[in-house]
Amino acid sequence: MPSRLRTRFLVVGSGVAGLHTAWRASEHGEVVVVTKRTLFESSTAYAQGGIAAALGAGDSPELHRQDTLAAGAALCDRAAVEVLVEEGPARVRELHAAGADFDLSPDGKFKLGKEAAHSRHRIVHAHGDQTGAEVARTLIERVRSSERVRVLERTRVLDLIVDGGCVFGARASVAGQAVEIVADATVLATGGCGQVYRYTTNPQVATGDGYAIAHRAGARLTDMEFVQFHPTALDTPENPLALISEAVRGEGAVLLNADGERFMPQRHKLAELAPRDVVAREIFRERQRTGRVVLDARMIAGFDQRFPGITALCRARGIDPAKELIPVTPAAHYMMGGVVTDLAGRSSLAGLYACGEVARTGVHGANRLASNSLLEGLVFAERVARDLAGTPEATELPPVGDWSVPVLVDRGAAQVAADAVRTEMWEHAGIDRTAKGLRVCLRRLDEIAARLPVGATEEGNMVDTARLIAEAALLRKESRGGHYRSDFPRSKRKWQGRHIEW
């Protein structure tokens, strides 16, 4: 029989959204934060680009709104975008006041960069290209200093506790022990699902657990076909791949094919600063056509000062980006879809909230604008925390369930299954999709699921999430944003504003 842990609020995940929620929600009651590995292991800590916010002269929330809507390809929720751009600047200033060491100009103002598809310089950075790590450090410090926050590392949430259509916490494996963490409100902040693809910039913990767990519980999900592939990951035999930030192209770096030819000016009017889906697709095509694509950043003066983290990553792999070409490949980077929420982060299930990458708030539509992800995490985590303050304390709780933590009987078979998922998704549900390939993918995912060993809970979540992506991609018979079908290569008016829900 499992043990039971009672708390006011349960936050699942330790990226920017989970940490910010826990920090702010602790003002209203006790919080338990659970994370699969450590507090610092999240996509947030890997984020290089920065945080987009209308903070500079000549910029405005209205201009930021226009850029976000344009990138979203007619699938953004306008009200959610309005919240993002209007409240974003205050969240950035608040984080700076909390101790985040953002890069400042000599007059003490934020030093703002520009990235793809932004019309203004509005990207806040920390230590050049280590923004996510600084955000994580700041929020972890806040969480750890709060007496009302309890952190459970190396804890896996297996499923939500649902009774009468209401969520009362989660069933979890805490150091291998079965524990029911019962809460008045539960917040999913589990991040993304890049690990269901062969090439990804996401950390190994990003296996899509939150999508699968929410789906099994009966929460609404939508837009799962919209996966963003970052155009420029460092092309090495690693998992995850090191990221070469969008900001490098923002500073003037150009893409060359194996023949040494620059190809983006012929493909889009914004060339290397075109929307991410366009750049990723063109790199993918050039790699297929000529075998190799490189990023030429040799013209950027003081590269090692501007991008110290990227410089270190490259040099550790035998590349000097100030003098040599950087080999790049597209890689799965960000999920635009997820658990459907309202503007307060509430899901379709009472007692369940979602924020960060696992949530579909509506701000990204079919394609996320560069550096809007950390901002979304901050803005909507704040809204979740404020809404949690009004959560009534549950007086009647469901009885303790009779269950145990599944024991993995064959770790090798589980790893084989995970690798098979990654291969099928990259080949058939990745950057270029077709109905034939997606049907093959779904059939093989069913075969993988059938041979999963007992106790392979994480791999089971990968299969479930991969199936949601592939099924949605098969149903959307057009190309839009991060979703590209070579058998339906154009956007269709009848699909404008339409969402595929589960």
Side-chain angles (χ1 to χ4, degrees):
M1 185 71 71
S3 60
R4 175 165 278 191
L5 172 63
R6 179 75 166 96
T7 187
R8 185 88 166 94
F9 309 120
L10 169 62
V11 176
V12 186
S14 62
V16 59
L19 292 170
H20 189 89
T21 299
W23 169 35
R24 305 293 283 174
S26 66
E27 299 171 8
H28 312 297
E30 293 183 349
V31 181
V32 168
V33 177
V34 302
T35 185
K36 280 206 294 186
R37 291 190 182 175
T38 68
L39 277 186
F40 203 79
E41 186 67 16
S42 68
S43 292
T44 294
Y46 285 75
Q48 297 171 343
I51 309 174
L55 292 160
D59 198 6
S60 68
E62 172 58 22
L63 290 172
H64 191 183
R65 184 183 73 87
Q66 292 174 13
D67 291 345
T68 300
L69 291 174
L75 277 185
C76 294
D77 182 323
R78 289 178 176 270
V81 173
E82 195 75 20
V83 166
L84 181 81
V85 301
E86 291 288 346
E87 298 182 10
R91 298 287 79 78
V92 174
R93 293 188 185 100
E94 179 181 80
L95 192 60
H96 181 52
D101 186 19
F102 292 129
D103 297 340
L104 305 177
S105 59
D107 60 2
K109 295 179 180 179
F110 291 114
K111 188 184 295 181
L112 302 174
K114 186 178 180 182
E115 293 181 1
H118 285 275
S119 61
R120 297 290 188 276
H121 284 73
R122 65 166 67 99
I123 316 301
V124 176
H125 295 96
H127 309 296
D129 56 2
Q130 299 173 61
T131 311
E134 179 62 16
V135 168
R137 182 201 65 77
T138 304
L139 291 173
I140 288 170
E141 188 176 280
R142 289 286 167 170
V143 164
R144 288 208 180 278
S145 66
S146 174
E147 295 181 355
R148 285 183 157 185
V149 179
R150 179 178 179 182
V151 175
L152 298 178
E153 295 183 319
R154 307 193 183 284
T155 295
R156 292 184 298 119
V157 166
L158 304 176
D159 276 306
L160 297 174
I161 300 171
V162 185
D163 187 69
C166 184
V167 175
F168 288 94
R171 299 182 182 92
S173 170
V174 183
Q177 301 300 308
V179 179
E180 291 191 348
I181 307 173
V182 180
D184 299 318
T186 301
V187 183
L188 283 181
T190 49
C193 57
Q195 284 292 326
V196 306
Y197 286 97
R198 172 61 60 195
Y199 301 105
T200 182
T201 62
N202 288 184
Q204 292 184 0
V205 292
T207 50
D209 303 301
Y211 308 104
I213 289 168
H215 183 61
R216 287 197 296 271
R220 284 177 57 216
L221 283 82
T222 194
D223 292 347
M224 292 296 290
E225 67 270 37
F226 295 113
V227 180
Q228 186 176 79
F229 294 86
H230 197 287
T232 52
L234 189 59
D235 188 11
T236 57
E238 299 174 79
N239 179 21
L241 297 180
L243 183 68
I244 306 298
S245 170
E246 199 98 46
V248 177
R249 281 177 286 127
E251 293 292 327
V254 298
L255 293 162
L256 308 175
N257 62 23
D259 300 322
E261 301 167 337
R262 187 181 176 195
F263 55 89
M264 280 308 300
Q266 290 76 45
R267 311 294 173 81
H268 195 280
K269 63 182 180 181
L270 295 176
E272 280 80 8
L273 296 184
R276 283 181 171 178
D277 63 299
V278 175
V279 181
R281 194 156 53 246
E282 295 305 331
I283 293 175
F284 181 76
R285 288 171 175 167
E286 283 299 311
R287 281 170 57 87
Q288 287 186 314
R289 190 177 74 86
T290 71
R292 186 171 187 251
V293 170
V294 295
L295 188 66
D296 186 357
R298 293 174 296 181
M299 74 292 292
I300 300 176
F303 187 97
D304 56 345
Q305 283 82 40
R306 175 65 183 85
F307 302 107
I310 294 173
T311 298
L313 288 171
C314 289
R315 286 179 176 170
R317 292 156 180 84
I319 302 165
D320 184 349
K323 300 177 182 179
E324 298 175 273
L325 301 174
I326 306 168
V328 293
T329 179
H333 186 59
Y334 193 86
M335 166 58 79
M336 274 76 75
V339 180
V340 177
T341 67
D342 63 12
L343 297 181
R346 305 185 197 99
S347 78
S348 60
L349 293 177
L352 179 67
Y353 293 76
C355 56
E357 191 171 351
V358 75
R360 189 272 175 190
T361 61
V363 301
H364 304 306
N367 195 27
R368 175 177 68 92
L369 183 66
S371 290
N372 267 357
S373 52
L374 289 175
L375 186 72
E376 182 199 29
L378 292 170
V379 167
F380 285 89
E382 178 70 20
R383 286 187 151 240
V384 167
R386 290 179 182 178
D387 202 69
L388 288 174
T391 302
E393 188 170 343
T395 55
E396 294 186 14
L397 299 174
V400 178
D402 185 11
W403 61 278
S404 59
V405 175
V407 178
L408 182 57
V409 297
D410 190 336
R411 190 170 299 280
Q415 185 58 57
V416 168
D419 288 343
V421 170
R422 295 183 181 109
T423 297
E424 295 303 326
M425 290 297 287
W426 184 258
E427 292 185 359
H428 301 300
I431 293 174
D432 191 344
R433 303 162 173 177
T434 64
K436 180 180 179 181
L438 290 164
R439 291 192 183 102
V440 169
C441 182
L442 287 166
R443 184 176 71 250
R444 291 179 179 169
L445 287 173
D446 287 342
E447 294 169 356
I448 294 167
R451 61 176 185 265
L452 279 175
V454 173
T457 55
E458 187 174 69
E459 293 76 15
N461 287 339
M462 290 177 66
V463 172
D464 290 348
T465 299
R467 189 183 285 116
L468 289 170
I469 295 169
E471 288 178 351
L474 182 60
L475 288 171
R476 183 171 286 277
K477 298 177 180 179
E478 66 155 359
S479 292
R480 184 179 298 274
H483 167 69
Y484 181 77
R485 290 275 299 264
S486 55
D487 51 354
F488 294 97
R490 297 183 179 179
S491 297
K492 295 184 178 180
R493 185 177 296 274
K494 70 177 183 179
W495 281 98
Q496 186 170 315
R498 286 178 62 185
H499 301 275
I500 295 171
E501 294 190 357
W502 306 103

PDB file of all heavy atoms in Angstrom, residues 324-352:
ATOM      1  N   GLU A 324      36.432  28.767 -37.821  1.00  0.00           N
ATOM      2  CA  GLU A 324      35.996  27.618 -38.601  1.00  0.00           C
ATOM      3  C   GLU A 324      34.481  27.616 -38.802  1.00  0.00           C
ATOM      4  O   GLU A 324      33.733  28.269 -38.065  1.00  0.00           O
ATOM      5  CB  GLU A 324      36.407  26.321 -37.892  1.00  0.00           C
ATOM      6  CG  GLU A 324      37.907  26.159 -37.729  1.00  0.00           C
ATOM      7  CD  GLU A 324      38.243  24.919 -36.924  1.00  0.00           C
ATOM      8  OE1 GLU A 324      38.276  25.014 -35.675  1.00  0.00           O
ATOM      9  OE2 GLU A 324      38.453  23.865 -37.542  1.00  0.00           O
ATOM     10  N   LEU A 325      34.027  26.867 -39.806  1.00  0.00           N
ATOM     11  CA  LEU A 325      32.601  26.710 -40.073  1.00  0.00           C
ATOM     12  C   LEU A 325      32.000  25.726 -39.072  1.00  0.00           C
ATOM     13  O   LEU A 325      32.642  24.751 -38.668  1.00  0.00           O
ATOM     14  CB  LEU A 325      32.404  26.199 -41.504  1.00  0.00           C
ATOM     15  CG  LEU A 325      32.977  27.103 -42.607  1.00  0.00           C
ATOM     16  CD1 LEU A 325      32.847  26.417 -43.957  1.00  0.00           C
ATOM     17  CD2 LEU A 325      32.271  28.456 -42.615  1.00  0.00           C
ATOM     18  N   ILE A 326      30.746  25.982 -38.698  1.00  0.00           N
ATOM     19  CA  ILE A 326      30.075  25.168 -37.691  1.00  0.00           C
ATOM     20  C   ILE A 326      29.071  24.250 -38.379  1.00  0.00           C
ATOM     21  O   ILE A 326      28.095  24.719 -38.975  1.00  0.00           O
ATOM     22  CB  ILE A 326      29.337  26.065 -36.672  1.00  0.00           C
ATOM     23  CG1 ILE A 326      30.283  27.105 -36.070  1.00  0.00           C
ATOM     24  CG2 ILE A 326      28.692  25.220 -35.583  1.00  0.00           C
ATOM     25  CD1 ILE A 326      29.556  28.194 -35.284  1.00  0.00           C
ATOM     26  N   PRO A 327      29.248  22.915 -38.333  1.00  0.00           N
ATOM     27  CA  PRO A 327      28.271  22.007 -38.953  1.00  0.00           C
ATOM     28  C   PRO A 327      26.963  22.002 -38.166  1.00  0.00           C
ATOM     29  O   PRO A 327      26.968  21.914 -36.938  1.00  0.00           O
ATOM     30  CB  PRO A 327      28.965  20.645 -38.876  1.00  0.00           C
ATOM     31  CG  PRO A 327      29.906  20.760 -37.717  1.00  0.00           C
ATOM     32  CD  PRO A 327      30.366  22.192 -37.695  1.00  0.00           C
ATOM     33  N   VAL A 328      25.829  22.127 -38.869  1.00  0.00           N
ATOM     34  CA  VAL A 328      24.539  22.227 -38.188  1.00  0.00           C
ATOM     35  C   VAL A 328      23.510  21.288 -38.814  1.00  0.00           C
ATOM     36  O   VAL A 328      23.620  20.909 -39.981  1.00  0.00           O
ATOM     37  CB  VAL A 328      23.992  23.678 -38.212  1.00  0.00           C
ATOM     38  CG1 VAL A 328      24.852  24.602 -37.380  1.00  0.00           C
ATOM     39  CG2 VAL A 328      23.847  24.192 -39.636  1.00  0.00           C
ATOM     40  N   THR A 329      22.511  20.960 -38.018  1.00  0.00           N
ATOM     41  CA  THR A 329      21.380  20.156 -38.457  1.00  0.00           C
ATOM     42  C   THR A 329      20.133  20.629 -37.729  1.00  0.00           C
ATOM     43  O   THR A 329      20.217  21.087 -36.578  1.00  0.00           O
ATOM     44  CB  THR A 329      21.601  18.658 -38.159  1.00  0.00           C
ATOM     45  OG1 THR A 329      20.438  17.912 -38.584  1.00  0.00           O
ATOM     46  CG2 THR A 329      21.789  18.404 -36.669  1.00  0.00           C
ATOM     47  N   PRO A 330      18.967  20.524 -38.355  1.00  0.00           N
ATOM     48  CA  PRO A 330      17.736  20.789 -37.601  1.00  0.00           C
ATOM     49  C   PRO A 330      17.546  19.726 -36.526  1.00  0.00           C
ATOM     50  O   PRO A 330      18.035  18.595 -36.654  1.00  0.00           O
ATOM     51  CB  PRO A 330      16.636  20.696 -38.671  1.00  0.00           C
ATOM     52  CG  PRO A 330      17.337  20.830 -39.973  1.00  0.00           C
ATOM     53  CD  PRO A 330      18.698  20.238 -39.778  1.00  0.00           C
ATOM     54  N   ALA A 331      16.822  20.081 -35.470  1.00  0.00           N
ATOM     55  CA  ALA A 331      16.558  19.138 -34.384  1.00  0.00           C
ATOM     56  C   ALA A 331      15.263  19.529 -33.686  1.00  0.00           C
ATOM     57  O   ALA A 331      14.931  20.709 -33.588  1.00  0.00           O
ATOM     58  CB  ALA A 331      17.718  19.145 -33.385  1.00  0.00           C
ATOM     59  N   ALA A 332      14.537  18.525 -33.220  1.00  0.00           N
ATOM     60  CA  ALA A 332      13.296  18.783 -32.485  1.00  0.00           C
ATOM     61  C   ALA A 332      13.603  19.660 -31.282  1.00  0.00           C
ATOM     62  O   ALA A 332      14.522  19.369 -30.511  1.00  0.00           O
ATOM     63  CB  ALA A 332      12.660  17.472 -32.042  1.00  0.00           C
ATOM     64  N   HIS A 333      12.807  20.720 -31.122  1.00  0.00           N
ATOM     65  CA  HIS A 333      13.169  21.744 -30.139  1.00  0.00           C
ATOM     66  C   HIS A 333      12.032  22.145 -29.218  1.00  0.00           C
ATOM     67  O   HIS A 333      12.240  22.350 -28.031  1.00  0.00           O
ATOM     68  CB  HIS A 333      13.678  22.967 -30.900  1.00  0.00           C
ATOM     69  CG  HIS A 333      14.217  24.062 -30.041  1.00  0.00           C
ATOM     70  ND1 HIS A 333      15.278  23.878 -29.182  1.00  0.00           N
ATOM     71  CD2 HIS A 333      13.851  25.362 -29.910  1.00  0.00           C
ATOM     72  CE1 HIS A 333      15.547  25.008 -28.554  1.00  0.00           C
ATOM     73  NE2 HIS A 333      14.691  25.926 -28.971  1.00  0.00           N
ATOM     74  N   TYR A 334      10.825  22.282 -29.753  1.00  0.00           N
ATOM     75  CA  TYR A 334       9.744  22.845 -28.936  1.00  0.00           C
ATOM     76  C   TYR A 334       8.380  22.362 -29.424  1.00  0.00           C
ATOM     77  O   TYR A 334       8.145  22.256 -30.629  1.00  0.00           O
ATOM     78  CB  TYR A 334       9.782  24.378 -28.998  1.00  0.00           C
ATOM     79  CG  TYR A 334       8.916  25.050 -27.953  1.00  0.00           C
ATOM     80  CD1 TYR A 334       9.413  25.301 -26.683  1.00  0.00           C
ATOM     81  CD2 TYR A 334       7.605  25.416 -28.232  1.00  0.00           C
ATOM     82  CE1 TYR A 334       8.618  25.898 -25.714  1.00  0.00           C
ATOM     83  CE2 TYR A 334       6.813  26.016 -27.279  1.00  0.00           C
ATOM     84  CZ  TYR A 334       7.319  26.259 -26.013  1.00  0.00           C
ATOM     85  OH  TYR A 334       6.527  26.847 -25.055  1.00  0.00           O
ATOM     86  N   MET A 335       7.491  22.072 -28.470  1.00  0.00           N
ATOM     87  CA  MET A 335       6.121  21.671 -28.781  1.00  0.00           C
ATOM     88  C   MET A 335       5.178  22.854 -28.580  1.00  0.00           C
ATOM     89  O   MET A 335       5.074  23.400 -27.485  1.00  0.00           O
ATOM     90  CB  MET A 335       5.697  20.499 -27.883  1.00  0.00           C
ATOM     91  CG  MET A 335       4.204  20.207 -27.879  1.00  0.00           C
ATOM     92  SD  MET A 335       3.490  19.848 -29.494  1.00  0.00           S
ATOM     93  CE  MET A 335       3.988  18.143 -29.693  1.00  0.00           C
ATOM     94  N   MET A 336       4.497  23.265 -29.654  1.00  0.00           N
ATOM     95  CA  MET A 336       3.545  24.369 -29.549  1.00  0.00           C
ATOM     96  C   MET A 336       2.222  23.930 -28.925  1.00  0.00           C
ATOM     97  O   MET A 336       1.513  24.709 -28.302  1.00  0.00           O
ATOM     98  CB  MET A 336       3.277  24.989 -30.927  1.00  0.00           C
ATOM     99  CG  MET A 336       4.265  26.064 -31.332  1.00  0.00           C
ATOM    100  SD  MET A 336       5.862  25.427 -31.851  1.00  0.00           S
ATOM    101  CE  MET A 336       5.496  24.784 -33.483  1.00  0.00           C
ATOM    102  N   GLY A 337       1.836  22.661 -29.139  1.00  0.00           N
ATOM    103  CA  GLY A 337       0.570  22.163 -28.602  1.00  0.00           C
ATOM    104  C   GLY A 337       0.709  21.646 -27.189  1.00  0.00           C
ATOM    105  O   GLY A 337       1.760  21.770 -26.549  1.00  0.00           O
ATOM    106  N   GLY A 338      -0.364  21.053 -26.695  1.00  0.00           N
ATOM    107  CA  GLY A 338      -0.322  20.488 -25.349  1.00  0.00           C
ATOM    108  C   GLY A 338      -1.647  20.551 -24.637  1.00  0.00           C
ATOM    109  O   GLY A 338      -2.722  20.543 -25.274  1.00  0.00           O
ATOM    110  N   VAL A 339      -1.590  20.614 -23.319  1.00  0.00           N
ATOM    111  CA  VAL A 339      -2.792  20.635 -22.474  1.00  0.00           C
ATOM    112  C   VAL A 339      -3.488  21.985 -22.643  1.00  0.00           C
ATOM    113  O   VAL A 339      -2.892  23.029 -22.394  1.00  0.00           O
ATOM    114  CB  VAL A 339      -2.430  20.397 -21.002  1.00  0.00           C
ATOM    115  CG1 VAL A 339      -3.687  20.419 -20.131  1.00  0.00           C
ATOM    116  CG2 VAL A 339      -1.683  19.080 -20.840  1.00  0.00           C
ATOM    117  N   VAL A 340      -4.724  21.962 -23.042  1.00  0.00           N
ATOM    118  CA  VAL A 340      -5.475  23.200 -23.280  1.00  0.00           C
ATOM    119  C   VAL A 340      -5.737  23.901 -21.948  1.00  0.00           C
ATOM    120  O   VAL A 340      -6.239  23.278 -20.996  1.00  0.00           O
ATOM    121  CB  VAL A 340      -6.806  22.909 -23.991  1.00  0.00           C
ATOM    122  CG1 VAL A 340      -7.612  24.200 -24.177  1.00  0.00           C
ATOM    123  CG2 VAL A 340      -6.556  22.256 -25.344  1.00  0.00           C
ATOM    124  N   THR A 341      -5.411  25.191 -21.894  1.00  0.00           N
ATOM    125  CA  THR A 341      -5.660  25.966 -20.675  1.00  0.00           C
ATOM    126  C   THR A 341      -6.372  27.263 -21.005  1.00  0.00           C
ATOM    127  O   THR A 341      -6.333  27.748 -22.142  1.00  0.00           O
ATOM    128  CB  THR A 341      -4.341  26.318 -19.946  1.00  0.00           C
ATOM    129  OG1 THR A 341      -3.586  27.235 -20.754  1.00  0.00           O
ATOM    130  CG2 THR A 341      -3.513  25.078 -19.664  1.00  0.00           C
ATOM    131  N   ASP A 342      -6.993  27.841 -19.981  1.00  0.00           N
ATOM    132  CA  ASP A 342      -7.539  29.186 -20.129  1.00  0.00           C
ATOM    133  C   ASP A 342      -6.463  30.192 -19.718  1.00  0.00           C
ATOM    134  O   ASP A 342      -5.305  29.826 -19.496  1.00  0.00           O
ATOM    135  CB  ASP A 342      -8.830  29.354 -19.323  1.00  0.00           C
ATOM    136  CG  ASP A 342      -8.634  29.210 -17.810  1.00  0.00           C
ATOM    137  OD1 ASP A 342      -7.462  29.212 -17.339  1.00  0.00           O
ATOM    138  OD2 ASP A 342      -9.648  29.109 -17.093  1.00  0.00           O
ATOM    139  N   LEU A 343      -6.833  31.445 -19.605  1.00  0.00           N
ATOM    140  CA  LEU A 343      -5.837  32.485 -19.329  1.00  0.00           C
ATOM    141  C   LEU A 343      -5.308  32.453 -17.894  1.00  0.00           C
ATOM    142  O   LEU A 343      -4.346  33.153 -17.576  1.00  0.00           O
ATOM    143  CB  LEU A 343      -6.418  33.867 -19.638  1.00  0.00           C
ATOM    144  CG  LEU A 343      -6.792  34.105 -21.108  1.00  0.00           C
ATOM    145  CD1 LEU A 343      -7.334  35.515 -21.294  1.00  0.00           C
ATOM    146  CD2 LEU A 343      -5.593  33.866 -22.019  1.00  0.00           C
ATOM    147  N   ALA A 344      -5.919  31.635 -17.046  1.00  0.00           N
ATOM    148  CA  ALA A 344      -5.409  31.453 -15.686  1.00  0.00           C
ATOM    149  C   ALA A 344      -4.649  30.147 -15.540  1.00  0.00           C
ATOM    150  O   ALA A 344      -4.224  29.797 -14.442  1.00  0.00           O
ATOM    151  CB  ALA A 344      -6.559  31.498 -14.677  1.00  0.00           C
ATOM    152  N   GLY A 345      -4.472  29.421 -16.651  1.00  0.00           N
ATOM    153  CA  GLY A 345      -3.743  28.163 -16.612  1.00  0.00           C
ATOM    154  C   GLY A 345      -4.571  26.961 -16.233  1.00  0.00           C
ATOM    155  O   GLY A 345      -4.022  25.858 -16.069  1.00  0.00           O
ATOM    156  N   ARG A 346      -5.892  27.131 -16.116  1.00  0.00           N
ATOM    157  CA  ARG A 346      -6.761  26.004 -15.749  1.00  0.00           C
ATOM    158  C   ARG A 346      -6.959  25.074 -16.946  1.00  0.00           C
ATOM    159  O   ARG A 346      -7.218  25.525 -18.054  1.00  0.00           O
ATOM    160  CB  ARG A 346      -8.130  26.482 -15.271  1.00  0.00           C
ATOM    161  CG  ARG A 346      -8.119  27.474 -14.131  1.00  0.00           C
ATOM    162  CD  ARG A 346      -9.558  27.750 -13.705  1.00  0.00           C
ATOM    163  NE  ARG A 346      -9.680  28.955 -12.899  1.00  0.00           N
ATOM    164  CZ  ARG A 346     -10.069  30.145 -13.376  1.00  0.00           C
ATOM    165  NH1 ARG A 346     -10.371  30.271 -14.661  1.00  0.00           N
ATOM    166  NH2 ARG A 346     -10.154  31.190 -12.584  1.00  0.00           N
ATOM    167  N   SER A 347      -6.858  23.775 -16.712  1.00  0.00           N
ATOM    168  CA  SER A 347      -7.131  22.793 -17.754  1.00  0.00           C
ATOM    169  C   SER A 347      -8.614  22.465 -17.773  1.00  0.00           C
ATOM    170  O   SER A 347      -9.414  23.069 -17.044  1.00  0.00           O
ATOM    171  CB  SER A 347      -6.321  21.515 -17.497  1.00  0.00           C
ATOM    172  OG  SER A 347      -6.932  20.745 -16.476  1.00  0.00           O
ATOM    173  N   SER A 348      -9.002  21.485 -18.583  1.00  0.00           N
ATOM    174  CA  SER A 348     -10.409  21.075 -18.649  1.00  0.00           C
ATOM    175  C   SER A 348     -10.821  20.222 -17.453  1.00  0.00           C
ATOM    176  O   SER A 348     -12.006  19.944 -17.273  1.00  0.00           O
ATOM    177  CB  SER A 348     -10.668  20.300 -19.946  1.00  0.00           C
ATOM    178  OG  SER A 348      -9.857  19.123 -20.004  1.00  0.00           O
ATOM    179  N   LEU A 349      -9.855  19.794 -16.640  1.00  0.00           N
ATOM    180  CA  LEU A 349     -10.152  19.025 -15.434  1.00  0.00           C
ATOM    181  C   LEU A 349     -10.051  19.923 -14.208  1.00  0.00           C
ATOM    182  O   LEU A 349      -9.053  20.631 -14.039  1.00  0.00           O
ATOM    183  CB  LEU A 349      -9.176  17.858 -15.274  1.00  0.00           C
ATOM    184  CG  LEU A 349      -9.242  16.731 -16.304  1.00  0.00           C
ATOM    185  CD1 LEU A 349      -8.144  15.714 -16.026  1.00  0.00           C
ATOM    186  CD2 LEU A 349     -10.601  16.046 -16.277  1.00  0.00           C
ATOM    187  N   ALA A 350     -11.055  19.890 -13.359  1.00  0.00           N
ATOM    188  CA  ALA A 350     -11.020  20.680 -12.133  1.00  0.00           C
ATOM    189  C   ALA A 350      -9.818  20.268 -11.288  1.00  0.00           C
ATOM    190  O   ALA A 350      -9.506  19.085 -11.168  1.00  0.00           O
ATOM    191  CB  ALA A 350     -12.310  20.466 -11.344  1.00  0.00           C
ATOM    192  N   GLY A 351      -9.118  21.266 -10.742  1.00  0.00           N
ATOM    193  CA  GLY A 351      -7.977  20.993  -9.883  1.00  0.00           C
ATOM    194  C   GLY A 351      -6.670  20.795 -10.612  1.00  0.00           C
ATOM    195  O   GLY A 351      -5.637  20.601  -9.973  1.00  0.00           O
ATOM    196  N   LEU A 352      -6.706  20.827 -11.952  1.00  0.00           N
ATOM    197  CA  LEU A 352      -5.489  20.624 -12.728  1.00  0.00           C
ATOM    198  C   LEU A 352      -5.153  21.866 -13.548  1.00  0.00           C
ATOM    199  O   LEU A 352      -5.983  22.357 -14.321  1.00  0.00           O
ATOM    200  CB  LEU A 352      -5.629  19.430 -13.676  1.00  0.00           C
ATOM    201  CG  LEU A 352      -4.401  19.147 -14.557  1.00  0.00           C
ATOM    202  CD1 LEU A 352      -3.210  18.693 -13.704  1.00  0.00           C
ATOM    203  CD2 LEU A 352      -4.715  18.099 -15.623  1.00  0.00           C
TER     204      LEU A 352
END
